[in-house]
Amino acid sequence: QVQLVESGGGLVQPGGSLRLSCAASGSIFSILYMGWYRQAPGKQRELVAGITNSGSANYADSVKGRFTVSRDNAKNTMYLQMNSLKPEDTAGYYCNANIREIASTRYREYWGQGTQVTVSS
């Protein structure tokens, strides 16, 4: 069974940095697109950044120039380096991935449980 586990969240002051990780485990054949989403209280979940298995990345306008997404395909792990954090970045951050299991011929979408990021002085 495939699992996505996020880590690296926490409390940081405005202007600070955090690095999130998302590790995929289980009977994985391959992973296509991986993405970071976030959801603040009372708001819809939104895409923050994503990256294909070939390394092409995309970002929400609100984080361009501050956040960097990367992945290590050998470790089935994606990262989100967040710099110059702002209070409006406060949210639960969720990992999403399109994964094909060894015993399957199709890709499925998986979600992690999320990690909280709080930006406050």
Side-chain angles (χ1 to χ4, degrees):
Q1 193 169 7
V2 172
Q3 280 190 319
L4 296 178
V5 178
E6 301 99 333
S7 61
L11 173 64
V12 63
Q13 291 186 341
S17 299
L18 281 175
R19 188 190 194 212
L20 304 184
S21 298
C22 169
S25 63
S27 56
I28 296 171
F29 180 80
S30 69
I31 304 176
L32 294 179
Y33 186 82
M34 299 183 80
W36 286 102
Y37 288 74
R38 67 185 180 188
Q39 187 168 20
K43 294 188 176 182
Q44 287 190 328
R45 189 171 292 190
E46 62 174 356
L47 177 65
V48 176
I51 186 167
T52 68
N53 55 352
S54 61
S56 295
N58 62 291
Y59 298 91
D61 288 342
S62 58
V63 307
K64 282 181 181 176
R66 300 188 298 123
F67 290 11
T68 302
V69 63
S70 62
R71 64 190 276 179
D72 184 334
N73 291 329
K75 295 182 179 180
N76 289 331
T77 301
M78 174 178 62
Y79 306 95
L80 185 67
Q81 178 66 44
M82 304 186 293
N83 299 328
S84 303
L85 282 161
K86 304 175 181 180
E88 50 264 44
D89 295 318
T90 296
Y93 282 71
Y94 299 87
C95 175
N96 172 273
N98 296 110
I99 298 174
R100 177 185 164 187
E101 295 187 56
I102 292 172
S104 176
T105 59
R106 297 187 177 188
Y107 286 86
R108 272 188 57 195
E109 186 177 46
Y110 292 85
W111 288 92
Q113 293 298 307
T115 185
Q116 179 67 31
V117 171
T118 302
V119 184
S120 175
S121 55

